[in-house]
Amino acid sequence: MGPLSSIAYLFASVLFILALRGLSHPETARQGLQFGMIGMALAIVTTLLSPEVTHYFIILIGIAIGGTIGTTIANKIEMTALPQLMAAFHSLVGLAAVFVAAAAFGNPEAFGIGTKADIHFASLIEMSLGAAIGAVTFTGSLVAWGKLQGKISGKPVTFMGQHKLNAILGAALFFLILLLCATESAFFFWLIVILALALGVLMIIPIGGADMPVIVSMLNSYSGWAAAALGFTLHNNLLIIIGALVGASGAILSYIMCKGMNRSFISVILGGFGGEQAVSTDDEHGDRNAKIGAAEDAAYIMKNAAKVIIIPGYGMAVAQAQHALREMADILKKEGVEVTYAIHPVAGRMPGHMNVLLAEANVPYDEVFEMEDINRDFAQADVAYVIGANDITNPAAKNDSTSPIYGMPILDVEKAKTVLFVKRSLGSGYAGIDNPLFFEDQTMMLLGDAKKMTEDIIKALE
């Protein structure tokens, strides 16, 4: 690598760091994306201009095919499908890591890491780790995509001895890496890939739908570490830096999300909770009766309120109700009502999901607050308007030690004078448990599609 290439890669690395910094806040997210795009363009051009690249035809065909597919997906993807799109993209990164490792193992001379049957010891470790982590990421991400997309049941899939089997496979992978370094046998290399592919599936299938956001973030981290490992094999400093950035940021994000659910990362890996959303019947609720209201009731209550806090959830995303929600808030503000938004760290199916949707609807950033900044305000709120959220408002997390979400920090909506719940039914949330708040005296259930219900409230307000 020449000095000019090193300088260009350094600039690209700085741009990627600035991109991550920008993406940490909605106000700077667009600028962060621009930094990332410029950095990636600089990295690609620098790589193409390097002396080692002599054949451009196949590379350009690959760029054209990948660019076309990426552009098509970007134009068609719905905001609600972004989590599963991320999982699908992570699977491709993992598969690419396996392919690069296989290419390096099959033709070490081209990569400058030795010759056949005499590959550098360090390179063997790097490529075997890259292949193993990449294979786990590939199949694990496919399973995560299937659960999020509804192609695979969101319920945990468990069987006797599952954790022991995973432990045995993990130990076997470690042993096979040692054998590969000692023998340089192609048999051991492909056996590593096969076992890692199986381990990726077995690690993710026992994890329930409620923990999928953590898993997607974790797999993102895995893809970064796989890329970093292969960066050493390819002698590419930029790939090492990018992989480390992705790996570290994904791990930190996983930790933040686990903290937001009061769950240890190990407990998520060893067996998640939650599955497909259940539809409850009246019999399931026994003698408890929920107060069912209409859009006119909600409009009257909010129009006469002094302070309204809106709590968006995944149901809002599914119904694409964010634009109607902002219109309703604008009308209330004209009536002199103070309107703010409360965001739980795991609302939706990935961090920032609700922030992105609200930003798309041009909701002012200064009206949107994270849980730790707004929880104290619920006690002074006249109305808490919960639209499409459930588990993140469930009081069982605080007062029911037998609940699977016990200990999870929640938004204290039950402290508001009136709680308006927009939901399709009295069914349980993504964690598969009932919400006792539905049946409290201050709660009014507004059953129906989130977008239509909000639009009906707008009509009643007007």
Side-chain angles (χ1 to χ4, degrees), residues 20-36:
L20 282 177
R21 179 68 182 87
L23 291 171
S24 65
H25 194 278
E27 290 186 6
T28 57
R30 188 181 298 273
Q31 185 182 59
L33 284 173
Q34 292 171 347
F35 281 137

Side-chain angles (χ1 to χ4, degrees), residues 97-106 119 123-132 135 173 176-177 179-181 183-196 230:
V98 174
F99 285 163
V100 172
F105 183 79
I119 300 174
S123 297
L124 285 170
I125 295 176
E126 294 155 7
M127 70 175 65
S128 57
L129 285 175
L173 278 175
L176 286 172
I177 290 174
L179 288 177
L180 176 65
C181 293
T183 64
E184 297 188 27
S185 168
F187 172 76
F188 290 132
F189 176 84
W190 290 111
L191 191 56
I192 288 171
V193 173
I194 292 171
L195 287 185
L230 292 174

Side-chain angles (χ1 to χ4, degrees), residues 209-446:
D211 284 329
M212 269 302 113
V214 181
I215 296 307
V216 172
S217 179
M218 179 197 73
L219 292 168
N220 176 43
S221 179
Y222 284 1
S223 68
W225 297 125
L230 292 174
F232 286 100
T233 301
L234 300 175
H235 306 296
N236 189 308
N237 293 333
L238 181 64
L239 192 57
I240 296 171
I241 294 171
I242 295 174
L245 285 173
V246 174
S249 60
I252 292 170
L253 188 58
S254 298
Y255 169 77
I256 291 172
M257 296 178 71
C258 284
K259 186 178 179 182
M261 297 188 298
N262 195 38
R263 290 168 63 71
S264 72
F265 185 73
I266 299 301
S267 71
V268 172
I269 297 300
L270 292 181
F273 66 85
E276 297 164 331
Q277 184 168 332
V279 177
S280 301
T281 65
D282 292 337
D283 293 337
E284 289 176 324
H285 299 303
D287 296 330
R288 296 179 297 174
N289 293 312
K291 187 191 303 180
I292 309 299
E296 292 76 14
D297 302 317
Y300 177 81
I301 293 171
M302 286 194 286
K303 191 172 184 178
N304 289 279
K307 182 179 180 65
V308 173
I309 300 178
I310 298 172
I311 301 92
Y314 188 66
M316 182 197 75
V318 172
Q320 291 289 288
Q322 62 269 26
H323 295 281
L325 189 64
R326 192 219 66 214
E327 185 179 352
M328 182 190 78
D330 288 344
I331 295 174
L332 289 173
K333 285 188 288 185
K334 288 180 181 178
E335 296 289 336
V337 181
E338 179 188 349
V339 179
T340 53
Y341 299 78
I343 306 296
H344 192 280
V346 293
R349 291 191 176 180
M350 66 180 184
H353 200 177
M354 298 300 103
N355 301 77
V356 171
L357 291 173
L358 295 178
E360 182 190 17
N362 295 316
V363 172
Y365 296 130
D366 59 0
E367 295 178 4
V368 182
F369 295 89
E370 301 299 326
M371 179 178 65
E372 60 269 19
D373 298 322
I374 200 171
N375 245 0
R376 66 179 71 91
D377 295 344
F378 281 102
Q380 288 79 44
D382 296 295
V383 178
Y385 185 78
V386 185
I387 177 168
N390 193 336
D391 297 324
I392 60 174
T393 65
N394 195 331
K398 294 189 291 185
N399 52 38
D400 184 0
S401 60
T402 64
S403 172
I405 64 171
Y406 181 68
M408 182 180 89
I410 64 166
L411 291 163
D412 296 331
V413 298
E414 77 278 3
K415 294 181 180 179
K417 294 182 179 66
T418 300
V419 180
L420 301 176
F421 250 105
V422 182
K423 210 170 173 294
R424 287 185 178 274
S425 71
L426 295 177
S428 59
Y430 209 58
I433 57 175
D434 285 339
N435 190 339
L437 185 56
F438 293 172
F439 310 98
E440 296 295 333
D441 293 337
Q442 81 270 34
T443 301
M444 178 182 291
M445 301 300 299
L446 305 172

Side-chain angles (χ1 to χ4, degrees), residues 27-149:
E27 290 186 6
T28 57
R30 188 181 298 273
Q31 185 182 59
L33 284 173
Q34 292 171 347
F35 281 137
M37 292 166 63
I38 295 171
M40 183 55 68
L42 178 59
I44 292 173
V45 171
T46 302
T47 302
L48 290 176
L49 294 179
S50 64
E52 292 84 1
V53 178
T54 56
H55 298 85
Y56 289 95
F57 181 70
I58 295 178
I59 294 175
L60 293 176
I61 289 178
I63 291 174
I65 294 174
T68 301
I69 294 173
T71 302
T72 302
I73 292 175
N75 287 329
K76 291 185 176 180
I77 194 70
E78 297 287 343
M79 291 296 294
T80 52
L82 283 180
Q84 46 265 53
L85 178 66
M86 288 177 60
F89 281 170
H90 295 159
S91 72
L92 297 179
V93 176
L95 186 61
V98 174
F99 285 163
V100 172
F105 183 79
N107 189 10
E109 295 92 342
F111 293 83
I113 57 174
T115 59
K116 280 273 191 178
D118 189 23
I119 300 174
H120 300 161
F121 182 78
S123 297
L124 285 170
I125 295 176
E126 294 155 7
M127 70 175 65
S128 57
L129 285 175
I133 299 172
V136 169
T137 303
F138 174 63
T139 51
S141 297
L142 286 181
V143 174
W145 171 84
K147 284 177 175 281
L148 291 169
Q149 190 69 16

